[in-house]
Amino acid sequence: MEKRLNVPITDENLNELKAGDVIYLTGNILTARDQAHKRIIDQGAPLDIEGAAIFHAGPIISENDGEYDMVAIGPTTSMRMNPYQGDVLDMGPKIIIGKGGMDDTVREALIRNDALYVVATGGCAALYVDAVEKIESVDWLDLGMPEAMWNLKVKDFGPLIVAMDSKGNSLYD
């Protein structure tokens, strides 16, 4: 199945999506890597993450007089977020985007929260950047540009493959 979803997810039923399905996202996605995940748990998120799509990515950004432009954005290895992802999922995000799979604690959190882990193809940073319409905001720049939380307005961001669904199915099994 191929499906187009608007984010944040409000009343979409993600239960109908299963491992192997392809999705595209329109709306806003947030980037977050290790340090941002840790800070979300320690301090709370700087933005509302209810229904959010969180992308494990360290984008390449150019800055000119306080204006930011997206140069490239591709997935980073998700397993680094395993220690934090379950707790963050319990705070309301519905879609986690990354690469390389996640562990059983995350699988349990996906089931518990009716959420999905979807994979973006590594090496396609130039393709994904074309779907970024605008950088809406950035938080936690003190963590460094790749670790900061970027709020991106996207249109038809994908293709993304459902790798772990809300029923516990995983393409990694």
Side-chain angles (χ1 to χ4, degrees), residues 92-149:
K94 290 295 183 180
I95 297 174
I96 303 300
I97 308 162
K99 73 175 181 183
M102 300 198 81
D103 67 15
D104 283 339
T105 64
V106 176
R107 183 191 312 237
E108 292 162 10
L110 293 170
I111 295 167
R112 186 170 63 244
N113 292 289
D114 186 27
L116 304 172
Y117 172 70
V118 301
V119 291
T121 304
C124 290
L127 168 70
Y128 292 125
V129 78
D130 286 344
V132 177
E133 294 184 320
K134 179 181 177 187
I135 297 173
E136 299 237 317
S137 64
V138 60
D139 289 285
W140 299 338
L141 265 175
D142 62 299
L143 297 175
M145 211 168 267
E147 290 285 341
M149 181 176 272

Short mmCIF file of all heavy atoms in Angstrom, two decimals, residues 92-149:
data_model
loop_
_atom_site.label_atom_id
_atom_site.label_comp_id
_atom_site.label_asym_id
_atom_site.label_seq_id
_atom_site.Cartn_x
_atom_site.Cartn_y
_atom_site.Cartn_z
N GLY A 92 4.10 11.24 22.67
CA GLY A 92 3.11 11.55 21.65
C GLY A 92 3.46 11.50 20.19
O GLY A 92 2.56 11.54 19.35
N PRO A 93 4.74 11.44 19.78
CA PRO A 93 5.00 11.33 18.34
C PRO A 93 4.39 10.06 17.76
O PRO A 93 4.24 9.06 18.46
CB PRO A 93 6.53 11.26 18.25
CG PRO A 93 7.02 11.82 19.52
CD PRO A 93 5.97 11.49 20.55
N LYS A 94 4.04 10.11 16.48
CA LYS A 94 3.41 8.96 15.84
C LYS A 94 4.27 8.31 14.77
O LYS A 94 4.02 7.17 14.38
CB LYS A 94 2.07 9.37 15.21
CG LYS A 94 1.00 9.68 16.25
CD LYS A 94 0.64 8.44 17.03
CE LYS A 94 -0.46 8.66 18.02
NZ LYS A 94 -0.78 7.44 18.76
N ILE A 95 5.26 9.04 14.27
CA ILE A 95 6.12 8.50 13.22
C ILE A 95 7.58 8.83 13.55
O ILE A 95 7.91 9.97 13.84
CB ILE A 95 5.76 9.08 11.83
CG1 ILE A 95 4.33 8.68 11.47
CG2 ILE A 95 6.75 8.60 10.76
CD1 ILE A 95 3.80 9.31 10.20
N ILE A 96 8.41 7.80 13.51
CA ILE A 96 9.85 7.97 13.66
C ILE A 96 10.47 7.60 12.33
O ILE A 96 10.16 6.54 11.77
CB ILE A 96 10.42 7.06 14.79
CG1 ILE A 96 9.70 7.33 16.12
CG2 ILE A 96 11.93 7.21 14.90
CD1 ILE A 96 9.81 8.74 16.64
N ILE A 97 11.32 8.48 11.81
CA ILE A 97 11.98 8.27 10.52
C ILE A 97 13.47 8.09 10.77
O ILE A 97 14.08 8.88 11.50
CB ILE A 97 11.79 9.49 9.60
CG1 ILE A 97 10.32 9.88 9.48
CG2 ILE A 97 12.41 9.24 8.22
CD1 ILE A 97 10.08 11.28 8.95
N GLY A 98 14.07 7.08 10.18
CA GLY A 98 15.50 6.88 10.34
C GLY A 98 16.01 5.84 9.37
O GLY A 98 15.44 5.65 8.29
N LYS A 99 17.08 5.17 9.78
CA LYS A 99 17.59 4.05 8.98
C LYS A 99 18.22 3.02 9.90
O LYS A 99 18.66 3.34 11.01
CB LYS A 99 18.59 4.51 7.91
CG LYS A 99 19.94 4.93 8.43
CD LYS A 99 20.90 5.25 7.28
CE LYS A 99 22.25 5.63 7.87
NZ LYS A 99 23.21 6.00 6.85
N GLY A 100 18.20 1.78 9.47
CA GLY A 100 18.93 0.73 10.15
C GLY A 100 18.19 -0.04 11.22
O GLY A 100 18.74 -0.96 11.80
N GLY A 101 16.95 0.31 11.53
CA GLY A 101 16.19 -0.45 12.50
C GLY A 101 16.40 0.00 13.93
O GLY A 101 17.30 0.79 14.23
N MET A 102 15.50 -0.49 14.79
CA MET A 102 15.55 -0.16 16.21
C MET A 102 15.27 -1.43 17.01
O MET A 102 14.86 -2.44 16.45
CB MET A 102 14.56 0.95 16.53
CG MET A 102 14.87 2.24 15.75
SD MET A 102 14.11 3.72 16.40
CE MET A 102 15.26 4.10 17.72
N ASP A 103 15.48 -1.37 18.32
CA ASP A 103 15.40 -2.58 19.13
C ASP A 103 13.98 -2.89 19.62
O ASP A 103 13.03 -2.18 19.30
CB ASP A 103 16.40 -2.54 20.29
CG ASP A 103 16.09 -1.48 21.34
OD1 ASP A 103 14.96 -0.93 21.36
OD2 ASP A 103 16.99 -1.20 22.16
N ASP A 104 13.87 -3.96 20.41
CA ASP A 104 12.55 -4.40 20.87
C ASP A 104 11.90 -3.44 21.86
O ASP A 104 10.68 -3.42 21.99
CB ASP A 104 12.64 -5.81 21.49
CG ASP A 104 12.75 -6.89 20.42
OD1 ASP A 104 12.37 -6.63 19.25
OD2 ASP A 104 13.21 -8.00 20.74
N THR A 105 12.68 -2.63 22.58
CA THR A 105 12.06 -1.64 23.47
C THR A 105 11.30 -0.62 22.63
O THR A 105 10.23 -0.15 23.04
CB THR A 105 13.08 -0.94 24.38
OG1 THR A 105 13.99 -0.17 23.58
CG2 THR A 105 13.84 -1.93 25.23
N VAL A 106 11.83 -0.29 21.48
CA VAL A 106 11.15 0.64 20.58
C VAL A 106 9.94 -0.04 19.95
O VAL A 106 8.87 0.55 19.83
CB VAL A 106 12.11 1.20 19.51
CG1 VAL A 106 11.37 2.08 18.51
CG2 VAL A 106 13.25 1.96 20.18
N ARG A 107 10.10 -1.30 19.56
CA ARG A 107 8.96 -2.05 19.00
C ARG A 107 7.79 -2.02 19.98
O ARG A 107 6.64 -1.77 19.60
CB ARG A 107 9.36 -3.49 18.71
CG ARG A 107 8.24 -4.30 18.06
CD ARG A 107 8.50 -5.80 18.01
NE ARG A 107 9.80 -6.15 17.52
CZ ARG A 107 10.04 -6.95 16.49
NH1 ARG A 107 9.03 -7.44 15.80
NH2 ARG A 107 11.25 -7.25 16.14
N GLU A 108 8.06 -2.27 21.26
CA GLU A 108 7.01 -2.25 22.28
C GLU A 108 6.38 -0.86 22.41
O GLU A 108 5.17 -0.73 22.57
CB GLU A 108 7.58 -2.72 23.63
CG GLU A 108 7.97 -4.19 23.62
CD GLU A 108 8.90 -4.56 24.76
OE1 GLU A 108 9.11 -3.74 25.68
OE2 GLU A 108 9.43 -5.69 24.73
N ALA A 109 7.21 0.18 22.32
CA ALA A 109 6.69 1.56 22.40
C ALA A 109 5.84 1.90 21.19
O ALA A 109 4.84 2.61 21.31
CB ALA A 109 7.84 2.55 22.56
N LEU A 110 6.21 1.39 20.02
CA LEU A 110 5.39 1.62 18.82
C LEU A 110 4.02 0.98 18.98
O LEU A 110 3.00 1.60 18.65
CB LEU A 110 6.10 1.05 17.58
CG LEU A 110 7.40 1.73 17.15
CD1 LEU A 110 8.10 0.91 16.07
CD2 LEU A 110 7.16 3.16 16.68
N ILE A 111 3.99 -0.23 19.50
CA ILE A 111 2.71 -0.93 19.73
C ILE A 111 1.88 -0.14 20.76
O ILE A 111 0.70 0.13 20.55
CB ILE A 111 2.95 -2.38 20.21
CG1 ILE A 111 3.64 -3.20 19.12
CG2 ILE A 111 1.63 -3.03 20.65
CD1 ILE A 111 4.20 -4.53 19.60
N ARG A 112 2.51 0.21 21.85
CA ARG A 112 1.84 0.91 22.96
C ARG A 112 1.25 2.25 22.52
O ARG A 112 0.21 2.69 23.02
CB ARG A 112 2.88 1.10 24.07
CG ARG A 112 2.40 1.67 25.35
CD ARG A 112 3.46 1.58 26.45
NE ARG A 112 4.68 2.33 26.18
CZ ARG A 112 5.89 1.79 26.03
NH1 ARG A 112 6.07 0.48 26.12
NH2 ARG A 112 6.95 2.55 25.81
N ASN A 113 1.90 2.91 21.57
CA ASN A 113 1.50 4.25 21.17
C ASN A 113 0.88 4.33 19.78
O ASN A 113 0.68 5.43 19.27
CB ASN A 113 2.72 5.18 21.24
CG ASN A 113 3.18 5.38 22.66
OD1 ASN A 113 2.52 6.05 23.43
ND2 ASN A 113 4.31 4.79 23.03
N ASP A 114 0.58 3.18 19.17
CA ASP A 114 0.00 3.16 17.82
C ASP A 114 0.84 4.03 16.88
O ASP A 114 0.34 4.95 16.24
CB ASP A 114 -1.46 3.62 17.84
CG ASP A 114 -2.13 3.47 16.48
OD1 ASP A 114 -1.71 2.60 15.69
OD2 ASP A 114 -3.06 4.24 16.19
N ALA A 115 2.14 3.76 16.85
CA ALA A 115 3.08 4.57 16.08
C ALA A 115 3.84 3.69 15.08
O ALA A 115 3.73 2.46 15.11
CB ALA A 115 4.05 5.27 17.03
N LEU A 116 4.62 4.35 14.21
CA LEU A 116 5.37 3.67 13.16
C LEU A 116 6.84 4.08 13.19
O LEU A 116 7.16 5.23 13.50
CB LEU A 116 4.84 4.05 11.78
CG LEU A 116 3.37 3.82 11.46
CD1 LEU A 116 3.05 4.45 10.11
CD2 LEU A 116 3.04 2.35 11.47
N TYR A 117 7.69 3.13 12.82
CA TYR A 117 9.08 3.45 12.50
C TYR A 117 9.21 3.25 11.00
O TYR A 117 8.93 2.16 10.48
CB TYR A 117 10.06 2.54 13.25
CG TYR A 117 11.50 2.70 12.81
CD1 TYR A 117 12.20 3.87 13.10
CD2 TYR A 117 12.13 1.72 12.08
CE1 TYR A 117 13.51 4.04 12.68
CE2 TYR A 117 13.45 1.88 11.65
CZ TYR A 117 14.12 3.04 11.95
OH TYR A 117 15.42 3.20 11.53
N VAL A 118 9.59 4.31 10.29
CA VAL A 118 9.72 4.23 8.84
C VAL A 118 11.17 4.55 8.46
O VAL A 118 11.85 5.30 9.15
CB VAL A 118 8.74 5.19 8.11
CG1 VAL A 118 7.31 4.85 8.48
CG2 VAL A 118 9.03 6.65 8.41
N VAL A 119 11.63 3.95 7.38
CA VAL A 119 13.00 4.16 6.96
C VAL A 119 13.06 5.03 5.71
O VAL A 119 12.24 4.90 4.80
CB VAL A 119 13.76 2.84 6.73
CG1 VAL A 119 13.99 2.12 8.05
CG2 VAL A 119 13.07 1.93 5.76
N ALA A 120 14.03 5.92 5.76
CA ALA A 120 14.38 6.74 4.61
C ALA A 120 15.65 6.12 4.03
O ALA A 120 16.51 5.65 4.76
CB ALA A 120 14.63 8.18 5.05
N THR A 121 15.76 6.11 2.74
CA THR A 121 16.90 5.49 2.09
C THR A 121 18.15 6.33 2.28
O THR A 121 18.15 7.52 1.96
CB THR A 121 16.61 5.30 0.58
OG1 THR A 121 15.42 4.53 0.45
CG2 THR A 121 17.75 4.59 -0.11
N GLY A 122 19.19 5.71 2.82
CA GLY A 122 20.47 6.39 2.96
C GLY A 122 21.02 6.74 1.59
O GLY A 122 20.80 6.03 0.61
N GLY A 123 21.73 7.85 1.50
CA GLY A 123 22.31 8.28 0.23
C GLY A 123 21.37 9.10 -0.63
O GLY A 123 21.72 9.49 -1.74
N CYS A 124 20.17 9.36 -0.13
CA CYS A 124 19.18 10.13 -0.91
C CYS A 124 18.94 11.52 -0.33
O CYS A 124 17.86 12.08 -0.48
CB CYS A 124 17.86 9.36 -0.98
SG CYS A 124 17.96 7.88 -2.00
N ALA A 125 19.96 12.08 0.31
CA ALA A 125 19.79 13.38 0.96
C ALA A 125 19.38 14.47 -0.02
O ALA A 125 18.60 15.36 0.32
CB ALA A 125 21.08 13.77 1.68
N ALA A 126 19.87 14.40 -1.24
CA ALA A 126 19.49 15.42 -2.23
C ALA A 126 18.04 15.24 -2.66
O ALA A 126 17.34 16.23 -2.92
CB ALA A 126 20.42 15.34 -3.44
N LEU A 127 17.56 14.02 -2.72
CA LEU A 127 16.16 13.76 -3.06
C LEU A 127 15.24 14.28 -1.96
O LEU A 127 14.27 14.99 -2.23
CB LEU A 127 15.92 12.25 -3.25
CG LEU A 127 14.46 11.80 -3.33
CD1 LEU A 127 13.84 12.25 -4.64
CD2 LEU A 127 14.36 10.29 -3.17
N TYR A 128 15.57 13.98 -0.72
CA TYR A 128 14.71 14.39 0.40
C TYR A 128 14.69 15.90 0.57
O TYR A 128 13.67 16.47 0.95
CB TYR A 128 15.13 13.69 1.69
CG TYR A 128 14.87 12.20 1.67
CD1 TYR A 128 15.88 11.29 1.92
CD2 TYR A 128 13.61 11.70 1.37
CE1 TYR A 128 15.64 9.91 1.89
CE2 TYR A 128 13.36 10.33 1.33
CZ TYR A 128 14.38 9.45 1.59
OH TYR A 128 14.14 8.10 1.55
N VAL A 129 15.81 16.56 0.30
CA VAL A 129 15.84 18.02 0.48
C VAL A 129 14.86 18.71 -0.47
O VAL A 129 14.33 19.77 -0.15
CB VAL A 129 17.27 18.59 0.35
CG1 VAL A 129 17.71 18.69 -1.10
CG2 VAL A 129 17.38 19.93 1.04
N ASP A 130 14.58 18.11 -1.61
CA ASP A 130 13.63 18.70 -2.55
C ASP A 130 12.22 18.78 -1.98
O ASP A 130 11.41 19.58 -2.43
CB ASP A 130 13.60 17.90 -3.86
CG ASP A 130 14.84 18.15 -4.71
OD1 ASP A 130 15.56 19.13 -4.45
OD2 ASP A 130 15.09 17.34 -5.63
N ALA A 131 11.91 17.94 -0.99
CA ALA A 131 10.59 17.94 -0.37
C ALA A 131 10.48 18.96 0.77
O ALA A 131 9.39 19.19 1.27
CB ALA A 131 10.24 16.55 0.15
N VAL A 132 11.61 19.54 1.17
CA VAL A 132 11.60 20.54 2.25
C VAL A 132 11.26 21.89 1.63
O VAL A 132 12.03 22.45 0.85
CB VAL A 132 12.95 20.59 2.98
CG1 VAL A 132 12.94 21.69 4.06
CG2 VAL A 132 13.28 19.24 3.60
N GLU A 133 10.09 22.41 2.00
CA GLU A 133 9.66 23.71 1.48
C GLU A 133 10.24 24.87 2.26
O GLU A 133 10.50 25.93 1.70
CB GLU A 133 8.13 23.81 1.50
CG GLU A 133 7.46 22.82 0.56
CD GLU A 133 5.96 23.00 0.53
OE1 GLU A 133 5.33 23.25 1.59
OE2 GLU A 133 5.39 22.89 -0.58
N LYS A 134 10.44 24.65 3.57
CA LYS A 134 10.86 25.77 4.41
C LYS A 134 11.37 25.25 5.75
O LYS A 134 10.85 24.28 6.28
CB LYS A 134 9.65 26.69 4.65
CG LYS A 134 9.91 27.88 5.51
CD LYS A 134 8.63 28.69 5.68
CE LYS A 134 8.88 29.85 6.61
NZ LYS A 134 7.66 30.56 6.93
N ILE A 135 12.38 25.92 6.29
CA ILE A 135 12.78 25.69 7.67
C ILE A 135 11.95 26.65 8.50
O ILE A 135 12.10 27.87 8.39
CB ILE A 135 14.29 25.96 7.88
CG1 ILE A 135 15.11 24.97 7.04
CG2 ILE A 135 14.64 25.86 9.37
CD1 ILE A 135 16.60 25.26 7.04
N GLU A 136 11.04 26.10 9.30
CA GLU A 136 10.13 26.96 10.07
C GLU A 136 10.79 27.51 11.33
O GLU A 136 10.53 28.64 11.72
CB GLU A 136 8.87 26.19 10.43
CG GLU A 136 8.11 25.73 9.20
CD GLU A 136 6.70 26.22 9.16
OE1 GLU A 136 6.02 26.19 10.19
OE2 GLU A 136 6.27 26.64 8.07
N SER A 137 11.64 26.67 11.98
CA SER A 137 12.30 27.14 13.19
C SER A 137 13.41 26.16 13.55
O SER A 137 13.51 25.07 12.99
CB SER A 137 11.30 27.26 14.35
OG SER A 137 10.77 25.98 14.69
N VAL A 138 14.24 26.60 14.49
CA VAL A 138 15.28 25.73 15.03
C VAL A 138 15.35 25.96 16.53
O VAL A 138 15.19 27.09 17.01
CB VAL A 138 16.65 25.98 14.35
CG1 VAL A 138 17.13 27.40 14.54
CG2 VAL A 138 17.69 24.98 14.83
N ASP A 139 15.53 24.89 17.26
CA ASP A 139 15.72 24.94 18.71
C ASP A 139 16.99 24.18 19.05
O ASP A 139 17.38 23.26 18.35
CB ASP A 139 14.52 24.30 19.43
CG ASP A 139 13.28 25.16 19.33
OD1 ASP A 139 13.21 26.18 20.03
OD2 ASP A 139 12.39 24.82 18.53
N TRP A 140 17.59 24.59 20.15
CA TRP A 140 18.74 23.91 20.72
C TRP A 140 19.98 23.95 19.82
O TRP A 140 20.72 22.98 19.71
CB TRP A 140 18.39 22.47 21.11
CG TRP A 140 17.31 22.38 22.15
CD1 TRP A 140 16.93 23.33 23.04
CD2 TRP A 140 16.47 21.26 22.40
NE1 TRP A 140 15.91 22.87 23.84
CE2 TRP A 140 15.60 21.59 23.46
CE3 TRP A 140 16.37 19.99 21.83
CZ2 TRP A 140 14.65 20.72 23.96
CZ3 TRP A 140 15.41 19.12 22.33
CH2 TRP A 140 14.56 19.48 23.39
N LEU A 141 20.21 25.10 19.21
CA LEU A 141 21.42 25.26 18.40
C LEU A 141 22.68 25.12 19.24
O LEU A 141 23.76 24.85 18.70
CB LEU A 141 21.42 26.62 17.70
CG LEU A 141 20.89 26.63 16.28
CD1 LEU A 141 20.82 28.05 15.74
CD2 LEU A 141 21.68 25.73 15.35
N ASP A 142 22.56 25.26 20.57
CA ASP A 142 23.72 25.07 21.43
C ASP A 142 24.27 23.65 21.34
O ASP A 142 25.42 23.40 21.70
CB ASP A 142 23.39 25.42 22.89
CG ASP A 142 22.31 24.53 23.47
OD1 ASP A 142 21.18 24.53 22.94
OD2 ASP A 142 22.59 23.82 24.45
N LEU A 143 23.46 22.71 20.85
CA LEU A 143 23.91 21.33 20.67
C LEU A 143 24.75 21.17 19.40
O LEU A 143 25.34 20.11 19.18
CB LEU A 143 22.71 20.38 20.61
CG LEU A 143 21.85 20.29 21.87
CD1 LEU A 143 20.64 19.41 21.63
CD2 LEU A 143 22.67 19.80 23.06
N GLY A 144 24.76 22.18 18.55
CA GLY A 144 25.43 22.10 17.25
C GLY A 144 24.39 21.93 16.16
O GLY A 144 23.28 21.43 16.40
N MET A 145 24.73 22.34 14.99
CA MET A 145 23.77 22.32 13.88
C MET A 145 23.17 20.94 13.60
O MET A 145 21.97 20.81 13.44
CB MET A 145 24.41 22.92 12.63
CG MET A 145 23.40 23.61 11.75
SD MET A 145 24.14 24.60 10.46
CE MET A 145 24.21 26.19 11.26
N PRO A 146 23.98 19.87 13.55
CA PRO A 146 23.38 18.55 13.26
C PRO A 146 22.50 18.02 14.40
O PRO A 146 21.57 17.27 14.16
CB PRO A 146 24.57 17.62 13.05
CG PRO A 146 25.79 18.46 13.07
CD PRO A 146 25.43 19.81 13.58
N GLU A 147 22.82 18.41 15.65
CA GLU A 147 22.08 17.89 16.80
C GLU A 147 20.88 18.77 17.18
O GLU A 147 20.04 18.35 17.97
CB GLU A 147 23.00 17.76 18.01
CG GLU A 147 24.03 16.65 17.89
CD GLU A 147 23.45 15.25 18.06
OE1 GLU A 147 22.35 15.09 18.62
OE2 GLU A 147 24.12 14.30 17.62
N ALA A 148 20.81 19.97 16.63
CA ALA A 148 19.69 20.86 16.94
C ALA A 148 18.38 20.25 16.46
O ALA A 148 18.38 19.33 15.63
CB ALA A 148 19.91 22.22 16.27
N MET A 149 17.28 20.76 16.97
CA MET A 149 15.96 20.30 16.52
C MET A 149 15.45 21.29 15.48
O MET A 149 15.18 22.44 15.78
CB MET A 149 14.98 20.19 17.68
CG MET A 149 13.61 19.70 17.24
SD MET A 149 12.47 19.47 18.61
CE MET A 149 12.88 17.80 19.06
#
